Amino acid sequence: MIRRKYMRTRQLQPGMKVDHPVVDRIGRVLVARGAELDRYMIDSMIKMGIMDVYIQEGEDDTGEVEISPAAQKNIERLHKEDRAKVNLSDSVRKRVAEGIQTVYNNWIRENWQVRQM
């Protein structure tokens, strides 16, 4: 489990991970969340007057969760296919493609005429 710890910049050690982005006075991100600190970054923050930062402690445990067989069976029972996905026949696909091509050709012809004027 990851925990957040508020630390003084002078107490930071290389290898620690930032839990909250470090920003300057006008809002620019200097150190992104999750970045691993090195000595140069720590010294730069001290020179810029950044006094405190949030650090991540612990390991991320967002691995795969095991699902019981009963839960898996329930998921399969409740799963529905996406109704928005439809299967079009070849003739419908051809008519749609022709319609789109006609609209595209008309648009090009109209814009070409306007440019020539």
Side-chain angles (χ1 to χ4, degrees):
M1 180 165 124
I2 294 179
R3 291 182 19 210
R4 177 187 280 191
K5 186 175 180 181
Y6 193 67
M7 291 187 71
R8 307 280 300 166
T9 307
R10 293 195 181 278
Q11 295 174 329
L12 297 176
Q13 298 294 321
M16 292 181 167
K17 285 191 175 184
V18 176
D19 191 52
H20 188 77
V22 178
V23 295
D24 63 6
R25 290 183 180 142
I26 59 174
R28 293 178 295 193
V29 176
L30 303 174
V31 182
R33 181 179 190 268
E36 192 170 306
L37 296 174
D38 59 16
R39 178 54 48 200
Y40 177 78
M41 294 167 76
I42 296 168
D43 291 341
S44 297
M45 286 190 290
I46 292 170
K47 288 177 186 174
M48 294 181 77
I50 298 167
M51 305 305 289
D52 310 289
V53 295
Y54 284 102
I55 298 297
Q56 292 179 358
E57 280 190 340
E59 293 296 319
D60 188 11
D61 57 354
T62 58
E64 285 191 32
V65 177
E66 243 181 79
I67 300 175
S68 69
Q72 184 64 35
K73 187 174 181 180
N74 199 21
I75 290 169
E76 290 169 4
R77 182 178 62 83
L78 296 172
H79 179 73
K80 302 258 191 249
E81 290 297 322
D82 187 1
R83 291 187 180 140
K85 295 180 182 177
V86 295
N87 294 324
L88 300 175
S89 66
D90 289 335
S91 63
V92 172
R93 277 191 208 145
K94 183 178 177 185
R95 284 184 282 168
V96 169
E98 288 171 355
I100 291 171
Q101 191 64 43
T102 302
V103 169
Y104 178 74
N105 288 337
N106 289 341
W107 182 84
I108 289 176
R109 190 176 308 119
E110 288 172 9
N111 284 328
W112 180 255
Q113 290 172 354
V114 169
R115 288 182 189 161
Q116 287 182 343
M117 292 182 175

